[in-house]
Amino acid sequence: MSEEKISIIVDGQKILCKKDDTYLSAITRAGIEIPTLCHMEELKPSGACRICVIEVEGAPNLVAACVTPVRPNAVVTTYNERIHRARQTNIELLLRSHPLNCIVCNKNGVCTLQKLAYQYVPKSRLSKLEGKKPTTDLLEVNEFFVLNYSACIRCQLCVRVADEIQVCNVLSMQDRGFNIYPSAGFGRSFEEAGCVACGNCVEVCPVGALVSKSIKTTKSRSYELKKTVTTCTYCGVGCQLEILVDPKQNKIVNVQSHRDSINGLSLCVKGRYGWNYIHHQDRINTPLIKKNGKFEEASWEEAFDLIEKQFKKIINESGPDSLAFLTSAKCTNEENYLMQKLSRAAIGTNNIDHCARLCHASTVTGLVKSFGSGAMTNSISDLTNDAEVIFIIGSNTTEAHPVIGTKIKQAVKNGKTKLIVADPRKIELSDYAEVYMSQRPGSDVALINAMIKYIIDEGLYDEAFIKQRTEDFEKLKENISKIDFSSLCKIANVEEEEVKKAASLYATAKTAAIIYAMGITQHTTGTDNVLSLANLAMITGNVGKPGTGVNPLRGQNNVQGACDLGGLPDVFPGYQKVTNEENIKKFKEFWGVDKLDNKEGLTVVEIMNEAHKGNIRGIYIMGENPVISDPNVNHVREALEKVEFLVVQDLFITETAKYADVILPGQSFAEKDGTYTNTERRVQRVRKAIETEGSRLPDWKILEIMLNRFGIEKHYNSPSEIMDEIAQVTPIYGGISYERLENRGLQWPCPSSDHPGTPILHKDKFSRGKGKFHAINYLDPDELPDDEYPLILTTGRNLFHFHTGEMTHRVAGIHQRKPIEKSEINVKDAKKLGIKTGDKVIIESRRGKVLTEVKVTDRIKEGVVFMTFHFKDSAANLLTNDALDPLSKIPELKVCAVKVTKK
Amino acid sequence: MNKSNHFHDITEEAILLSKEKHNKNRIIIGYGTCGIAAGAEEVLKEVQQVLHELKIDDVIIEKTGCIGCCSYEPLMDIELANSPRVSYKNVKPKEVKEIIDKHFEGELKKEKVFCMFDEQENIIQNQESWKYNIPEIYSGLPTFKSLPMLKKQKRITLRNVGIIDPENINDYLARGGYQALYKALTALSPKEVIDEIKSSGLRGRGGAGFPTGVKWEFAYNAELSKTTEDSIEKTEKYVVCNADEGDPGAFMDRSLIEGDPHSVIEGLTIAAYAIGATKGFIYIRAEYPLAIKRLEIALKQAYENHFLGDNIFGTDFHFSIEIRKGAGAFVCGEETALINSIMGLRGEPRPRPPYPAVSGLWGKPTIINNVKTLVTVPVILLNGAKWFSSIGTEDTKGTAVFALTGDVKNSGLVEVPMGTTLREIIFDIGGGVKGDKQFKAVQTGGPSGGCIPFSLIDTPVDFASLKKLGSIMGSGGMIVCSESTCMVDLARYFMTFIASESCGKCTPCREGTVRALEMLEKITSGDATIDILTDLEQLSLVIKDTALCGLGQTAPNPILSTLKYFREEYIEHIEQKVCRAKVCPGLFNYVINDDLCIKCGVCQNVCPVDAVFGSKETGFFIENRLCISCNACFERCPKRAIEKVN
């Protein structure tokens, strides 16, 4: 950066400024306070409230500090009588249109207008604050918040946050002059205008106009609420929340974003409003033991005794490998560590896995083969700040990772980034895309190979990068030379021109990032898909620098951490192979055990298969719900029926828990301490915000007791001590401690206590040394449509729900928004079948059938049907195919053949 | 292809056609909006009817724009072959036949004659003026230029209005149309064009008076080119004609476009050439349908003649113009709000800097000029900067165009050299106050302007002088107020306008104008106490000091200037509950003058609140305690027997 030396004189004192400073930014940085009502650092300044006025020598009028760029050597006064009078008058003007009912307002004590009024308006003026009020017979109410127009001060912060941060195009000011008000326009409700209820507008409202409904339920004043900063428990973005607890009731009453974080101002509807399940009556409060087919309350002692007795019996009769453990992508790192320690050190089996198998097993396998590390290569911020081009394939980002979705929209809107989207559905981001390709589900290798072929044929590849950083390019090139571009496009069912455009856009950008999710991974060719994307990134040199990389978006809040901490059948924590003698030796010594299993254990689907066969006799499931989330659910149900002894640890009696012999009540994220690792490998703190109810124990405590019961005598005073243990045996977490995580967390690898963390992987060299190209050829999905099952079913997510819906369905507002599944079918297919929107249909595959409501749309490709898997009454996974990717063992959730009939 | 020859050819042809017209009999109707409102449409129909009846079929009927003498509309001019054009004023349809009959017979209906045009002066240098042979019968008729209303005028901007047929490009070409564009494109570099405008001293006629050439230079210099890795891309730039004339009482832009649309197009195209723009917009109020229609016709003609489009005059200059209609928001005349409106956003101003000349439409350098500014540009290029700067004052060069209205005898469109005094405009040109009432004040600059009292009537008009008095030149509204104008009510009127036209973005304008209006309403209804004046003044000063855009910053001017010059009227309203102009309801009484009253009872019939007592036998009286000052009786009394008294 060039050293621009601009200075201004503020109140007689010299202040150094940056070139693009406004008076407000420069002066507040120098520690002088200037009051504002409509300014927010995250937003473009608007200059609406005119409270931040200052005097600049030479300017005829007062100057709004927030919008005026600094002029070198300007002489500025920030406070004098003229300024005071101007501010006072403008504040009085706002008060005259504002109800002066602070005493009953939710914002009392935290209201900016109230604060300014106290500073600037003398009591004697109160009687003068008269006159007509703006129209108040308007009210916007939805499930989550209320807009009370009578309190609105027309600062437009809500409109600007909707426009600039959420990029939702919902809000604008309507009417003019005294009568303006924020509105969705044309008499529509916010929801009708496409509001996704992120509540970001509510967060920025400086007065009591936009208020979350939940806060209205508390009798405590806003300033009395206890604030706890923690990590959101929904998706893998890892947004930082501030949980506000009413100490009088020990209840959460509001959630707001923690602005100094990766998410900044943003949260999504689930993060902000999806927490009421924590206080839901369905929560389990004590251990439950099934007696005569019915669950009965039991003491912890009874429950532990029973588990110990049963597991020991099974181990004695058929060895430790007849037990299996499903750890949890929802639980903390510390809990996952203890769970695998229980399985490996205490029980003696590597039969431990979790639902990462269902989402990113192929990512881990593929990226390890190509790069040497199976995680997202880059950081969220550099994707959205530094990428000239983002190629999104198989990720419905705005629904599944909403905050990353909004950041991508921001980047496109600001003209920084061009988007390429490949998806069988016209997802929201396709509206922002420069190129949109609608490939047939399961044809990704063909599509990516077509792009690679075009790039190689046109000479658009990065020769220097390939030479210095990679190996086996010749193999790729030779393989590609044998394939025909047109036939690849035909397989993928996409226009050749579009593919060419996408390929050249991606290849010629200075920085181009790939973002993908389960649209890529959940295939029998999942690993091939990932390898192909790695090929694409490497031929164009798009690895190892900001704004590039291959970036799998991890689904659950801690799926990254569950993998990192060894919740996988083949690795100890930190991806240390269980088959490696040195590793075994290290862990034996560290854990103080004589023996560790040295063969790879079973994966999720294999565990169910073996249970079905009777080879797995006992399962311990923590915070997972395979009866909804796994493919071919009927098969899973039969397997769980057959298991002799099933332990489920959860918040609710889930569909899976119904099969359990013992249910242990866990704690939600708001009730315990710990850490989660988000999709960008950032380890962040989870902090206890409320006291739990009943006799529930934190999950790490339950696991500690289990470890003790099975011979590992180790006691932890807090999760912090568990993390210290993790750091000692897990090189990528080697430098992580709670103390260091306090602000913004750390991104692994963080090998030592002085290491700053790693925002970008493979910077100078790949984790495996050289990046490796793989020659990949297209293979058909396991099941293709035929005469009997003529359509392809693909599955995905919806913004409002999370995973199997155990949490979100228990949040009244969210459930109200999306109470039932509405499967999508293309207009042309619907016409052939005589189906219209709102009809009930039966979707049937070779494995089962479900009843669902249908939505007819042209946003889905012809021949494809789409369902989410959030609804147990229309469980998509009754239909899905459990055929596995041979390498990563991920099932093909994204493609199966179905038929649709009108009910 | 030699486009320049092509241009010479069509110009010559146009001059020929124009001359030919003078060899024929013509009837020309003033067909601006003012003329139409006064009944020009009916007159035109009648003319057609009469000619049909009289079986005269060699007469050309033409429409022209507003010649500026609005109070004499409808104007019907008759020009016999090679004879001067004689203008008849306030023509009613029933008079048409007689006038035509006589005129074609070689007689004149003298009492209807307004003036004659003994020559058609062309102010463009080296351009032939049309001279007529004056028949004897015409001797003694006042010539147009000798009319009292015209004597002190200098029609540069209005040079073609009312003279040419705005829908006929040949008329424009014959008077030197597109010569300036031709000169600019073929003989001058963009920088030379800018220098010429700069040295002419032309200041923007939209209100703020920013030097036009300097503005153009900003845009010219703004990011001349953006260098990308492989290529040098020229930055897109835009020019905009601001025809969003929204001031109450202002109609300069409308009349100009209605009467001379090609000048606007030519001026805008020259501006585009100067700064390097290839795309222009004319932002015009949708309430100006006739102006829009004439612009559309003119644009079509300009494209057809290759004065717009690709490779204009065979050069590598391309330029196209699009009309954008504004939905009638006053604030959209503010340039940043106008930019938002063109882009399809809410018409809301944004802070400057960055100025549009640096970052305007779609973030690109954009020049926004008022209609009058652009229309003046071609003349400057043809006659030279020196010529232009010789007119006017040190502060402001050239002429000023005013829409003179209110309580003035000769209302209309006037153009005077800068420096002409208000007295000359109002009394010499305007003929003084209507109905021989007492002059009280003149309001200039529209709702953002201020009121100037009689004591300052010898102030010369230019940007600086008016500003010094707390008023502004504005875009050219000039409203004459007589003794029957209440100055508090006038301030209230303008505040009502501004409060409803504020976009609502910034606090002082959105909230402050409404509160100021509330205070004024309190005063005009006699409900205020004297300390309200301090509050009103205080509030006005803060609005002026802190509002975001020009609209808000100037919004309190009507209040501040009336408080300054007519404070005693405010005090009378408050303390004596008296409105000396007898305008504010409740602050004056109605009485029946028995000497004039004929006891017809109309007053009693029209009174909506039964405040008129009495009978046809006994006579009538008004009970003022019941009266709501609706003015119905006053207006309807056939004998003007009802009087207002304090």
Side-chain angles (χ1 to χ4, degrees), chain A residues 46-50 61-62 67 69 82 85-86 89-90 93-94 96-97 128 130-132 153-154 156 173 175-178 180, chain B residues 329 346 348 351 500-508 510-512 514-515 518 522 531 535 538 542 544-548 553:
Chain A
S46 115
C49 77
R50 317 309 280 182
N61 292 340
L62 291 177
V67 286
R82 177 184 175 201
R85 204 166 42 218
T89 304
N90 284 334
L93 284 173
L94 290 171
R96 285 169 83 152
S97 295
K128 297 254 187 184
E130 51 174 22
K132 69 167 179 179
I153 57 166
R154 277 77 179 160
Q156 304 199 23
M173 296 309 279
D175 216 313
R176 63 188 187 199
F178 194 65
I180 60 166
Chain B
R346 186 177 156 79
E348 222 176 55
S500 70
E501 290 295 340
S502 163
C503 79
K505 181 174 177 178
C506 77
T507 309
R510 178 186 68 243
E511 308 281 337
V514 168
R515 301 309 167 195
E518 281 177 351
K522 257 187 161 181
D531 58 344
D535 278 354
Q538 177 69 59
V542 171
K544 198 180 161 93
D545 211 10
T546 64
L548 191 158
Q553 287 160 14

Coordinates of all heavy atoms in Angstrom, one line a residue, chain A residues 46-50 61-62 67 69 82 85-86 89-90 93-94 96-97 128 130-132 153-154 156 173 175-178 180, chain B residues 329 346 348 351 500-508 510-512 514-515 518 522 531 535 538 542 544-548 553:
Chain A
S46 N -24.9 6.3 4.6 CA -26.0 6.8 3.9 C -26.3 8.3 4.1 O -26.8 9.0 3.3 CB -27.3 6.0 4.2 OG -28.2 6.7 4.9
G47 N -25.9 8.7 5.3 CA -26.1 10.2 5.6 C -27.5 10.6 5.8 O -27.9 11.7 5.5
A48 N -28.4 9.7 6.3 CA -29.8 10.0 6.5 C -30.1 10.7 7.8 O -30.9 11.6 7.8 CB -30.6 8.7 6.4
C49 N -29.5 10.3 8.9 CA -30.0 10.9 10.2 C -29.5 12.3 10.5 O -30.2 13.0 11.2 CB -29.7 9.9 11.3 SG -28.0 10.0 11.9
R50 N -28.4 12.7 10.0 CA -27.8 14.0 10.2 C -27.5 14.3 11.6 O -27.6 15.5 12.1 CB -28.7 15.1 9.6 CG -29.3 14.8 8.2 CD -28.4 14.4 7.2 NE -27.6 15.4 6.5 CZ -26.7 15.2 5.6 NH1 -26.5 14.0 5.1 NH2 -26.0 16.2 5.0
N61 N -22.2 24.7 5.0 CA -23.1 24.0 5.9 C -22.4 23.1 6.8 O -21.2 22.8 6.6 CB -24.2 23.2 5.2 CG -25.1 24.1 4.4 OD1 -25.2 25.3 4.7 ND2 -25.8 23.6 3.4
L62 N -23.0 22.6 7.9 CA -22.5 21.5 8.7 C -22.3 20.3 7.8 O -23.0 20.1 6.8 CB -23.3 21.2 9.9 CG -23.4 22.3 10.9 CD1 -24.4 21.8 12.0 CD2 -22.1 22.6 11.5
V67 N -20.6 10.4 5.8 CA -20.5 10.3 4.3 C -19.5 11.2 3.6 O -19.3 11.1 2.4 CB -21.9 10.6 3.7 CG1 -22.9 9.5 3.9 CG2 -22.4 12.0 4.1
P69 N -15.9 12.3 2.6 CA -14.5 11.9 2.6 C -13.6 13.0 3.2 O -13.8 14.2 3.0 CB -14.2 11.7 1.1 CG -15.4 12.0 0.4 CD -16.4 12.5 1.3
R82 N -23.1 25.5 17.7 CA -23.9 25.3 16.5 C -24.1 23.8 16.2 O -25.3 23.4 15.9 CB -23.0 25.9 15.3 CG -23.6 25.7 14.0 CD -22.6 26.2 12.9 NE -23.1 26.0 11.6 CZ -22.2 25.9 10.5 NH1 -20.9 26.2 10.7 NH2 -22.7 25.7 9.3
R85 N -26.7 22.5 18.7 CA -28.1 22.9 18.4 C -28.6 22.1 17.2 O -29.8 21.7 17.2 CB -28.1 24.4 18.1 CG -29.4 25.0 18.3 CD -29.3 26.5 18.3 NE -28.4 27.0 17.2 CZ -27.6 28.0 17.4 NH1 -27.5 28.7 18.5 NH2 -26.8 28.4 16.4
A86 N -27.8 21.8 16.3 CA -28.2 21.1 15.1 C -28.6 19.6 15.5 O -29.6 19.1 15.2 CB -27.1 21.0 14.1
T89 N -31.7 19.7 17.6 CA -32.9 19.9 16.8 C -33.3 18.6 16.1 O -34.5 18.2 16.1 CB -32.7 21.0 15.8 OG1 -32.3 22.2 16.6 CG2 -34.0 21.3 15.0
N90 N -32.3 18.0 15.5 CA -32.7 16.8 14.7 C -33.1 15.6 15.6 O -34.0 14.8 15.2 CB -31.5 16.4 13.8 CG -31.4 17.3 12.6 OD1 -32.4 17.8 12.2 ND2 -30.2 17.4 12.1
L93 N -36.6 16.4 16.5 CA -37.5 16.1 15.4 C -37.9 14.6 15.3 O -39.0 14.3 15.1 CB -36.8 16.5 14.1 CG -36.8 18.0 13.8 CD1 -36.0 18.3 12.5 CD2 -38.2 18.6 13.6
L94 N -36.9 13.8 15.6 CA -37.2 12.4 15.6 C -38.1 12.0 16.8 O -39.0 11.2 16.6 CB -35.9 11.6 15.7 CG -35.0 11.6 14.5 CD1 -33.6 11.0 14.7 CD2 -35.7 10.9 13.3
R96 N -40.3 13.8 18.1 CA -41.7 14.3 17.9 C -42.5 13.3 17.1 O -43.7 13.3 17.2 CB -41.6 15.6 17.2 CG -41.2 16.8 18.1 CD -41.0 18.0 17.3 NE -42.2 18.8 17.0 CZ -42.2 20.1 16.8 NH1 -41.1 20.8 16.9 NH2 -43.3 20.7 16.6
S97 N -41.8 12.5 16.3 CA -42.6 11.5 15.5 C -42.6 10.1 16.2 O -43.1 9.1 15.6 CB -42.0 11.4 14.1 OG -42.2 12.6 13.4
K128 N -42.5 20.5 24.3 CA -42.6 21.1 23.0 C -42.6 20.0 21.9 O -42.7 20.2 20.7 CB -41.3 21.9 22.7 CG -41.2 23.1 23.6 CD -41.6 24.4 22.8 CE -41.3 25.6 23.6 NZ -41.7 26.8 22.9
E130 N -44.4 18.1 20.3 CA -45.8 17.8 19.9 C -45.9 17.8 18.4 O -45.0 18.0 17.7 CB -46.7 18.9 20.5 CG -46.1 20.2 20.1 CD -47.0 21.4 20.5 OE1 -47.8 21.2 21.4 OE2 -46.9 22.4 19.9
G131 N -47.1 17.5 18.0 CA -47.4 17.5 16.5 C -47.9 16.2 16.1 O -47.9 15.2 16.8
K132 N -48.3 16.2 14.8 CA -48.8 14.9 14.3 C -47.8 13.8 14.2 O -46.6 14.1 14.0 CB -49.5 15.1 12.9 CG -48.5 15.4 11.8 CD -49.2 15.3 10.4 CE -48.3 15.7 9.3 NZ -48.8 15.6 8.0
I153 N -37.9 5.2 13.1 CA -37.4 6.5 13.0 C -36.9 6.7 11.5 O -36.1 7.7 11.2 CB -36.3 6.8 14.0 CG1 -35.2 5.8 13.9 CG2 -36.8 6.9 15.4 CD1 -33.9 6.2 14.6
R154 N -37.2 5.8 10.6 CA -36.9 6.0 9.2 C -35.4 6.1 8.9 O -35.0 6.8 8.0 CB -37.6 7.2 8.6 CG -39.1 6.9 8.2 CD -40.0 6.9 9.4 NE -41.4 6.6 9.0 CZ -42.3 6.1 9.8 NH1 -42.1 5.8 11.0 NH2 -43.5 6.0 9.3
Q156 N -33.5 3.8 7.9 CA -33.3 2.9 6.7 C -32.2 1.8 7.0 O -31.7 1.2 6.0 CB -32.9 3.7 5.5 CG -34.0 4.7 5.1 CD -33.9 5.2 3.7 OE1 -33.3 4.5 2.8 NE2 -34.4 6.3 3.4
M173 N -37.9 1.7 1.0 CA -38.8 2.7 1.6 C -39.9 3.0 0.7 O -39.7 3.0 -0.5 CB -38.0 4.0 1.9 CG -36.9 3.9 2.9 SD -37.2 3.1 4.4 CE -38.0 4.4 5.3
D175 N -43.5 5.3 -0.2 CA -44.1 6.6 -0.1 C -43.0 7.7 0.0 O -41.8 7.3 -0.3 CB -45.0 6.7 1.1 CG -46.2 7.6 0.9 OD1 -46.0 8.7 0.3 OD2 -47.4 7.2 1.2
R176 N -43.3 8.9 0.4 CA -42.3 9.9 0.5 C -42.5 10.9 1.6 O -43.6 10.9 2.2 CB -42.0 10.6 -0.9 CG -43.2 11.4 -1.3 CD -42.9 11.9 -2.7 NE -44.0 12.8 -3.2 CZ -44.1 13.1 -4.4 NH1 -43.4 12.5 -5.4 NH2 -45.1 14.0 -4.8
G177 N -41.5 11.7 1.8 CA -41.6 12.7 2.9 C -41.9 12.1 4.2 O -41.4 11.0 4.6
F178 N -42.7 12.8 5.0 CA -43.1 12.4 6.3 C -43.7 11.0 6.4 O -43.7 10.3 7.4 CB -44.1 13.4 6.8 CG -44.3 13.4 8.3 CD1 -43.3 13.7 9.2 CD2 -45.6 13.1 8.8 CE1 -43.5 13.7 10.5 CE2 -45.8 13.1 10.2 CZ -44.8 13.4 11.1
I180 N -42.8 8.2 4.7 CA -42.1 7.0 4.3 C -42.0 6.0 5.3 O -42.1 6.3 6.5 CB -40.6 7.4 3.8 CG1 -39.8 8.0 5.0 CG2 -40.6 8.2 2.6 CD1 -38.3 8.0 4.7
Chain B
A329 N -41.9 13.5 -9.1 CA -41.4 13.8 -7.8 C -40.5 15.0 -8.0 O -39.5 14.9 -8.7 CB -40.7 12.6 -7.2
R346 N -35.0 4.1 -6.2 CA -35.9 5.1 -5.5 C -35.3 6.5 -5.7 O -34.1 6.7 -5.5 CB -35.9 4.7 -4.0 CG -36.9 5.6 -3.2 CD -36.9 5.1 -1.8 NE -37.3 6.2 -0.9 CZ -38.6 6.6 -0.7 NH1 -39.6 5.9 -1.4 NH2 -38.9 7.6 0.0
E348 N -34.1 9.1 -4.6 CA -33.6 9.6 -3.3 C -32.2 10.2 -3.5 O -31.4 9.6 -4.1 CB -33.5 8.5 -2.3 CG -34.0 8.7 -0.9 CD -33.9 7.4 -0.1 OE1 -32.8 6.8 0.0 OE2 -34.9 7.1 0.5
P351 N -25.4 11.6 -0.8 CA -24.5 12.7 -0.5 C -23.5 12.8 -1.6 O -23.1 11.9 -2.3 CB -23.8 12.1 0.8 CG -24.6 11.0 1.3 CD -25.3 10.5 0.1
S500 N -44.5 17.9 1.2 CA -45.0 16.8 0.5 C -44.1 16.3 -0.6 O -44.3 15.2 -1.1 CB -46.4 17.1 -0.1 OG -46.3 18.0 -1.2
E501 N -43.1 17.1 -1.0 CA -42.2 16.6 -2.0 C -40.8 16.1 -1.5 O -40.0 15.6 -2.2 CB -41.9 17.8 -3.0 CG -43.1 18.2 -3.9 CD -43.5 17.0 -4.8 OE1 -42.6 16.2 -5.1 OE2 -44.6 17.0 -5.3
S502 N -40.6 16.3 -0.2 CA -39.4 15.7 0.4 C -39.4 14.2 0.2 O -40.4 13.6 0.3 CB -39.4 16.0 1.9 OG -38.5 15.2 2.6
C503 N -38.2 13.7 -0.1 CA -38.1 12.3 -0.3 C -38.2 11.5 1.0 O -38.6 10.4 1.0 CB -36.8 11.9 -1.0 SG -35.4 11.8 0.0
G504 N -37.9 12.2 2.1 CA -38.0 11.6 3.4 C -36.8 10.9 3.9 O -36.8 10.3 4.9
K505 N -35.7 11.0 3.1 CA -34.5 10.3 3.6 C -33.8 10.9 4.8 O -33.5 10.2 5.8 CB -33.5 10.3 2.4 CG -32.2 9.5 2.8 CD -31.3 9.4 1.6 CE -30.0 8.7 2.0 NZ -29.1 8.5 0.8
C506 N -33.6 12.2 4.8 CA -32.9 12.8 5.9 C -33.8 13.4 6.9 O -34.9 14.0 6.6 CB -31.8 13.8 5.5 SG -32.4 15.4 5.0
T507 N -33.4 13.4 8.2 CA -34.3 13.8 9.3 C -34.7 15.3 9.1 O -35.9 15.5 9.2 CB -33.5 13.7 10.6 OG1 -33.0 12.3 10.7 CG2 -34.4 13.9 11.8
P508 N -33.8 16.2 8.9 CA -34.3 17.6 9.0 C -35.3 17.9 7.9 O -36.3 18.7 8.2 CB -33.0 18.5 8.8 CG -32.0 17.5 8.3 CD -32.4 16.1 8.8
R510 N -37.3 15.6 6.2 CA -38.5 14.8 6.4 C -39.3 15.3 7.6 O -40.5 15.6 7.4 CB -38.1 13.4 6.6 CG -39.4 12.5 6.9 CD -38.9 11.0 7.2 NE -38.3 11.0 8.5 CZ -37.0 10.6 8.7 NH1 -36.3 10.2 7.7 NH2 -36.5 10.5 9.9
E511 N -38.7 15.5 8.7 CA -39.4 15.8 9.9 C -39.5 17.4 10.0 O -40.6 17.9 10.4 CB -38.7 15.3 11.1 CG -38.4 13.8 11.1 CD -39.6 12.9 11.4 OE1 -40.5 13.4 12.0 OE2 -39.6 11.8 10.9
G512 N -38.4 18.1 9.7 CA -38.4 19.5 10.0 C -39.4 20.3 9.1 O -40.0 21.2 9.7
V514 N -42.2 19.4 8.0 CA -43.6 19.1 8.5 C -43.8 20.0 9.8 O -44.8 20.6 10.0 CB -43.8 17.6 8.8 CG1 -45.0 17.4 9.6 CG2 -43.9 16.9 7.5
R515 N -42.8 20.0 10.7 CA -42.9 20.8 11.9 C -43.0 22.3 11.6 O -43.7 23.0 12.2 CB -41.8 20.5 12.9 CG -41.7 19.0 13.3 CD -43.0 18.4 13.8 NE -42.9 17.0 13.9 CZ -44.0 16.2 14.0 NH1 -45.2 16.7 14.0 NH2 -43.8 14.9 14.0
E518 N -46.3 23.0 10.4 CA -47.3 23.0 11.6 C -47.2 24.4 12.3 O -48.3 24.9 12.6 CB -47.0 21.9 12.6 CG -47.4 20.5 12.1 CD -47.1 19.4 13.1 OE1 -46.2 19.6 14.0 OE2 -47.5 18.3 12.9
K522 N -50.2 27.2 12.5 CA -50.6 27.8 13.8 C -50.7 29.3 13.7 O -51.6 29.9 14.2 CB -49.6 27.4 14.9 CG -50.0 26.3 15.8 CD -49.0 26.2 16.9 CE -49.6 25.4 18.1 NZ -48.7 25.3 19.2
D531 N -43.4 33.4 20.9 CA -42.1 32.7 21.0 C -42.0 31.6 19.8 O -40.9 31.0 19.6 CB -41.9 32.0 22.3 CG -43.1 31.1 22.7 OD1 -44.1 31.2 22.0 OD2 -42.9 30.3 23.6
D535 N -38.6 29.6 17.6 CA -38.5 28.2 17.3 C -38.5 28.0 15.8 O -37.8 27.1 15.2 CB -39.8 27.5 17.9 CG -39.6 27.1 19.3 OD1 -38.5 27.3 19.8 OD2 -40.5 26.6 20.0
Q538 N -35.2 29.1 14.4 CA -34.2 28.1 14.8 C -34.2 26.8 14.0 O -33.3 26.3 13.4 CB -34.5 27.8 16.3 CG -33.6 26.7 16.9 CD -32.2 27.2 17.0 OE1 -32.0 28.2 17.7 NE2 -31.3 26.6 16.4
V542 N -31.5 25.1 11.2 CA -30.9 23.8 11.3 C -31.2 23.0 10.1 O -30.4 22.2 9.6 CB -31.4 23.1 12.6 CG1 -31.0 21.6 12.6 CG2 -30.8 23.8 13.8
K544 N -31.6 24.1 7.1 CA -30.7 24.7 6.1 C -29.2 24.2 6.3 O -28.5 23.9 5.4 CB -30.7 26.2 6.2 CG -30.2 27.0 5.1 CD -30.3 28.5 5.5 CE -29.4 29.4 4.6 NZ -30.1 29.9 3.4
D545 N -28.9 24.1 7.6 CA -27.5 23.7 7.9 C -27.2 22.2 7.8 O -26.1 21.8 7.7 CB -27.2 24.2 9.4 CG -25.8 24.6 9.6 OD1 -25.0 24.7 8.6 OD2 -25.4 24.8 10.7
T546 N -28.2 21.4 7.9 CA -27.9 20.0 8.1 C -28.6 19.1 7.0 O -28.4 17.9 7.0 CB -28.3 19.4 9.5 OG1 -29.7 19.5 9.6 CG2 -27.6 20.2 10.6
A547 N -29.5 19.6 6.2 CA -30.2 18.7 5.3 C -29.2 18.1 4.2 O -28.2 18.7 4.0 CB -31.3 19.5 4.5
L548 N -29.6 17.0 3.7 CA -28.7 16.2 2.8 C -28.5 16.9 1.5 O -27.4 17.0 1.0 CB -29.2 14.8 2.7 CG -28.3 13.8 2.1 CD1 -28.7 12.4 2.5 CD2 -28.2 13.8 0.5
Q553 N -31.8 21.8 1.9 CA -31.0 22.9 2.4 C -31.7 24.3 2.0 O -31.5 25.3 2.7 CB -29.6 22.9 1.8 CG -28.7 21.8 2.4 CD -27.6 21.4 1.5 OE1 -27.2 22.1 0.5 NE2 -26.9 20.3 1.8

